[in-house]
């Protein structure tokens, strides 16, 4: 990242945001014109190459996006469900081939058949309504289960907005150190993948000296199979917003930025409506509840890049820079958005804060198991009898989630990919050894991650699944470090060659490739991919050995 570019972008910050301008410029044709990019380069006093470097990075800004009218989900769950070839064929009856693009993933893993048209997502039976959808005659909503087993922290119905924000009103009468202490006591750890305690980050940003600080909600939920953040944004919006406001109050931030993925258009609309409601009710703005606390929100709609879920790439993205992962230190809490102290947290992490402030850190810490306190949302895909979003206490046996909540499987499954593309591939024989908490998964050689479950059915070749993971990483790599940039492409080529010819992959070379990626990559995209690949080799050696020479 360039510190200077952060400063330049920060001059206009949100009054005229460079990244949003690029999105606006691409609205009509699918990519910003060269002339418009030149105008923006002059206006923001940046080089043309910088602007082009940004625009050409994103799926929905790059020149290849020109003319696309409909997008088919190519995420892992739709792929293993095998629904997308028929969907594409049906779409071809109504659209030209060059008008059909791809999106990954639409968060419709519970229904599959997922596609995106005219700024809306569709799935399940909507495949039968393509003509009406194209003509904007109907809107088909998706359906999924949502319930809980254990304590309800995130899945209760909202009584009334005014009542709910009394939690904030009370919090504003307390010293910030008292609120921070509740967060510490709660043991709340980040739900975005790394499990880092939230109180550390908020305290660090609180101690940083700056007139301007930011709290950023990472709503880029790019993990195929995960749709729990979508659930929270669409159905528990005020928990997320209130969590951000309390975090902002503690650290001294007056601006909350929600970076929401473009693949979730409904979430963007619903969240904006909730923010508008708060403005009308004067719960955001200046002197909130007659105190000297000021706070406002800004939604930034992403443009299709998985790496923007990584927190430093996300910050560069908001600044309109090419979203390459930043080397740390400096950490975002010291030098984040526009070089100001910034805390980035996942949607679910932030949504836990109101419960903690209302009930006390102790009450939250009592839920769960060991260092994994509180509850966790789990996303179940369409292979479950009852797909949906379920809230469970940390430490709940995985078998309870699968059998009691999910109702078991609709067909024979050989493995589950849990925790996104960088999570582990869990074979069926491991189910009874795992519980939903950080420690159980890592001790068994897997990763809890977002706790999304994508099923791999008995008849789905594991080699094809591995190929998909390499291809995904090669497409999404930010290119900053070579172990990931080159390693993911080489891995994909090796698998493809073994599938399309009698070529056998040298096992030692393949292991070297995985080790290089694991220890040499700058972030957890390149560094995390080897985990599921190694799991597959360990547990599905009989099936995979035919593709290797020794
Ligand atoms: C490749 C990659 C993708 C990521 N995607 C997400 C994401 O979609 N959502 C998220 O909250 N965190 C994601 N993260 C983790 C973030 O970098 C960061 O740790 C997180 O937003 C911090 O919030 P938390 O502490 O509340 O989890 C990703 C990390 C990597 C390396
Ligand atoms: S591991 Fe991949 S995504 Fe992460 S910094 Fe390196 S090239 Fe970028």
């Amino acid at each position: 990242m360039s510190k200077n570019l952060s400063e330049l972008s920060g001059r206009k910050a949100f009054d005229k945001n460079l990244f949003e301008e690029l999105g606006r410029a691409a609205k009509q044709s699918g990519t910003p014109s060269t002339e418009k990019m030149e105008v923006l380069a002059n206006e923001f006093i940046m080089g043309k190459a910088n602007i082009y470097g940004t625009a050409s990075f994103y799926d929905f800004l790059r020149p290849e996006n020109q003319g696309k009218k409909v997008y088919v989900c190519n995420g892992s769950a739709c792929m293993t469900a095998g629904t997308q070839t028929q969907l594409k064929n049906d779409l071809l009856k109504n659209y030209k081939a060059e008008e059909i693009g791809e999106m990954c993933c639409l968060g419709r893993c519970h229904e599959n058949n997922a596609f995106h048209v005219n700024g809306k997502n569709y799935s399940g039976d909507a495949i039968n309504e393509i003509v009406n959808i194209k003509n904007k005659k109907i809107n088909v909503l998706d359906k999924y289960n949502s319930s809980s087993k254990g304590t309800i922290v995130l899945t209760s119905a909202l009584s009334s907005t005014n009542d709910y924000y009394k939690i904030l009103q009370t919090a504003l009468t307390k010293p910030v150190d008292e609120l921070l202490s509740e967060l510490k006591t709660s043991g709340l750890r980040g739900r975005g993948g790394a499990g880092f305690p939230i109180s550390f980050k908020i305290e660090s940003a609180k101690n940083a000296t700056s007139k301007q600080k930011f709290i950023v909600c990472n709503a880029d939920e790019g993990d195929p199979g995960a749709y729990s953040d979508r659930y929270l944004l669409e159905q528990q919006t005020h928990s997320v917003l209130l969590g951000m406001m309390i975090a902002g109050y503690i650290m001294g931030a007056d601006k909350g930025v929600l970076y929401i993925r473009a693949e979730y258009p409904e979430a963007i609309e619903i969240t904006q409506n909730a923010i508008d409601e708060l403005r009308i009710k004067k719960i955001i703005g200046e002197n909130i509840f007659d105190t000297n606390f000021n706070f406002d929100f800004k939604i930034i709609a992403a443009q299709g890049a998985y790496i923007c879920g990584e927190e430093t790439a996300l910050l560069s993205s908001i600044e309109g820079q090419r979203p390459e992962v930043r080397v740390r230190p400096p950490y975002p809490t010291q030098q984040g958005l526009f070089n100001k102290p910034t805390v980035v947290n996942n949607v679910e992490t932030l949504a836990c804060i109101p419960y903690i402030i209302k009930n006390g850190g102790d009450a939250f810490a009592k839920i769960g198991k060991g260092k994994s306190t509180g509850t966790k949302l789990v996303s179940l895909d369409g292979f479950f009898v009852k797909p949906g979003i379920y809230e469970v206490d940390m430490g709940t046996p995985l078998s309870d989630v699968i059998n009691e909540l999910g109702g078991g499987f609709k067909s024979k499954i050989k493995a589950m990919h849990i925790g996104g593309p960088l999570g582990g591939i869990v074979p069926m024989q491991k189910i009874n050894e795992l519980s939903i908490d950080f420690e159980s998964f890592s001790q068994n050689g897997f990763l809890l991650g977002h706790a999304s479950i994508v099923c791999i059915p008995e008849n789905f070749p594991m080699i094809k699944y591995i190929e998909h993971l390499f291809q995904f990483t090669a497409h999404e790599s930010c290119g900053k470090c070579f172990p990931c940039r080159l390693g993911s492409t080489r891995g994909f080529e090796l698998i493809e060659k073994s599938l399309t010819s009698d070529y056998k992959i040298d096992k030692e070379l393949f292991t070297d490739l995985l080790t290089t990626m694991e220890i040499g990559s700058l972030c957890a995209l390149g560094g995390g991919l080897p985990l599921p690949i190694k799991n597959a080799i360990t547990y599905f050696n009989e099936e995979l050995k035919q593709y290797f020479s020794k």
Side-chain angles (χ1 to χ4, degrees):
M1 70 127 184
S2 159
K3 214 179 146 193
N4 290 341
L5 292 178
S6 299
E7 294 288 341
L8 286 171
S9 178
R11 284 165 61 242
K12 295 182 194 282
F14 297 114
D15 297 335
K16 188 167 187 182
N17 179 268
L18 174 57
F19 183 55
E20 282 193 315
E21 287 303 310
L22 284 165
R24 223 164 268 143
K27 264 255 154 355
Q28 281 304 316
S29 71
T31 187
S33 66
T34 314
E35 296 74 38
K36 182 64 187 174
M37 284 195 277
E38 277 187 27
V39 170
L40 288 173
N42 290 332
E43 199 176 336
F44 283 81
I45 330 176
M46 290 186 190
K48 283 185 246 175
N50 293 113
I51 306 294
Y52 181 76
T54 297
S56 58
F57 190 94
Y58 294 92
D59 287 351
F60 311 133
L61 295 182
R62 58 170 57 133
E64 294 85 338
N65 190 48
Q66 199 158 10
K68 296 283 180 281
K69 293 195 173 152
V70 54
Y71 298 84
V72 175
C73 179
N74 64 3
S76 314
C78 280
M79 179 190 72
T80 58
T83 53
Q84 302 310 79
T85 308
Q86 183 60 49
L87 171 63
K88 229 177 205 169
N89 288 340
D90 288 2
L91 287 169
L92 277 168
K93 291 177 197 151
N94 296 280
Y95 295 90
K96 293 184 203 138
E98 60 272 23
E99 291 174 339
I100 304 176
E102 291 191 332
M103 277 193 176
C104 183
C105 107
L106 298 177
R108 299 295 184 98
C109 319
H110 54 95
E111 285 188 340
N112 310 118
N113 279 316
F115 61 108
H116 175 104
V117 186
N118 299 327
K120 287 202 182 327
N121 287 345
Y122 299 92
S123 50
D125 294 339
I127 190 174
N128 304 320
E129 300 287 352
I130 291 173
V131 177
N132 288 331
I133 289 169
K134 186 181 179 189
N135 298 330
K136 300 186 188 172
K137 288 215 175 110
I138 57 161
N139 197 7
V140 190
L141 298 175
D142 67 324
K143 292 181 273 317
Y144 59 88
N145 300 291
S146 62
S147 67
S148 67
K149 172 185 158 73
T151 322
I152 296 178
V153 172
L154 297 165
T155 48
S156 60
L158 181 71
S159 48
S160 86
T161 312
N162 284 339
D163 264 4
Y164 190 56
Y165 280 83
K166 283 190 181 138
I167 301 174
L168 176 67
Q169 194 168 10
T170 311
L172 294 182
T173 64
K174 295 183 179 173
V176 291
D177 283 331
E178 192 180 319
L179 301 173
L180 180 61
S181 161
E182 293 299 344
L183 285 187
K184 280 186 190 167
T185 307
S186 75
L188 173 62
R189 292 167 64 186
R191 305 313 200 218
F196 195 76
I198 187 172
S199 59
F200 275 56
K201 292 204 279 197
I202 293 189
E203 185 166 30
S204 168
K206 172 180 170 286
N207 293 338
T209 316
S210 174
K211 272 192 192 153
Q212 174 81 74
K213 297 179 187 177
F214 296 103
I215 172 84
V216 175
C217 173
N218 186 343
D220 199 43
E221 188 168 60
D223 286 356
Y227 53 105
S228 44
D229 287 351
R230 172 167 96 83
Y231 160 79
L232 290 171
L233 290 168
E234 292 177 4
Q235 300 198 34
Q236 305 289 344
T237 326
H238 285 296
S239 314
V240 184
L241 298 179
L242 179 52
M244 289 178 75
M245 289 183 82
I246 296 170
Y249 174 61
I250 300 173
M251 66 183 270
D254 62 3
K255 192 82 168 180
V257 185
L258 295 117
Y259 186 89
I260 309 181
R261 61 202 307 261
E263 292 86 345
Y264 287 178
E266 293 84 3
I268 294 175
E269 194 183 329
I270 292 168
T271 308
Q272 187 58 58
N273 290 343
I275 293 171
D276 294 345
E277 181 194 351
L278 293 181
R279 197 175 314 288
I280 290 165
K281 295 194 157 123
K282 298 198 183 336
I283 296 175
I284 54 171
E286 299 202 338
N287 304 114
I288 297 165
F289 294 123
D290 296 324
T291 65
N292 56 10
F293 177 56
N294 306 329
F295 197 88
D296 214 328
F297 289 101
K298 170 77 188 171
I299 293 179
I300 294 285
Q303 294 292 344
Y306 177 73
I307 197 58
C308 289
E310 194 285 334
E311 60 180 7
T312 60
L314 184 154
L315 297 176
S316 288
S317 176
I318 300 176
E319 291 172 356
Q321 296 199 55
R322 194 170 167 90
E324 287 180 351
V325 171
R326 299 177 180 181
V327 175
R328 280 155 283 201
Y331 291 94
T333 53
Q334 304 152 322
Q335 210 175 91
L337 186 57
F338 307 125
N339 287 338
K340 307 292 180 213
T342 303
V343 169
V344 182
N345 272 117
N346 169 253
V347 176
E348 188 174 334
T349 318
L350 291 162
C352 290
I353 296 179
Y355 179 96
I356 293 168
I357 297 303
K358 184 176 175 208
N359 301 286
D362 261 335
F364 190 84
K366 276 190 192 130
I367 314 163
K369 185 174 157 193
K371 288 189 178 154
S372 298
T373 59
T375 61
K376 182 76 199 83
L377 295 181
V378 184
S379 317
L380 302 188
D381 78 358
F383 278 103
F384 287 88
V385 174
K386 292 187 280 174
I389 299 294
Y390 297 99
E391 178 173 23
V392 296
D393 291 357
M394 285 277 199
T396 301
L398 176 61
S399 55
D400 288 4
V401 173
I402 293 172
N403 301 317
E404 278 182 41
L405 298 170
F409 303 107
K410 285 178 191 158
S411 55
K412 207 158 169 42
I413 301 303
K414 67 178 167 197
M416 291 172 293
H417 195 186
I418 304 185
L422 313 174
I425 292 182
V426 179
M428 305 315 273
Q429 71 264 28
K430 282 277 173 187
I431 290 177
N432 291 330
E433 292 171 40
L434 291 167
S435 56
I436 303 291
D437 57 271
F438 296 113
E439 287 70 31
S440 168
F441 270 69
S442 63
Q443 281 157 14
N444 281 283
F446 306 112
L447 188 91
L448 181 65
H450 238 58
S452 52
I453 306 189
V454 172
C455 294
I456 306 176
E458 189 70 37
N459 60 0
F460 194 96
M462 193 52 82
I463 191 81
K464 292 293 287 176
Y465 199 81
I466 295 179
E467 184 191 36
H468 162 71
L469 294 180
F470 271 116
Q471 191 174 28
F472 174 84
T473 307
H475 180 75
E476 301 297 349
S477 169
C478 81
K480 176 107 167 182
C481 68
F482 74 83
C484 165
R485 184 180 69 233
L486 301 181
S488 53
T489 299
R490 286 294 95 83
F492 172 67
E493 287 167 355
L494 286 174
I495 304 283
E496 200 187 25
K497 208 165 151 189
S498 76
L499 273 164
T500 53
S501 69
D502 55 6
Y503 173 78
K504 304 278 178 215
I505 304 166
D506 183 317
K507 193 90 173 255
E508 206 176 318
L509 205 71
F510 193 71
T511 310
D512 278 355
L513 176 77
L514 294 179
T515 308
T516 307
M517 288 185 76
E518 198 169 59
I519 61 178
S521 296
L522 178 60
C523 87
L525 180 55
L529 176 72
L531 176 76
I533 311 282
K534 284 179 175 176
N535 290 152
I537 291 171
T538 304
Y539 297 111
F540 295 91
N541 185 43
E542 269 311 299
E543 184 186 329
L544 290 172
K545 67 181 183 198
Q546 55 180 310
Y547 301 100
F548 291 87
S549 61
K550 38 182 168 148

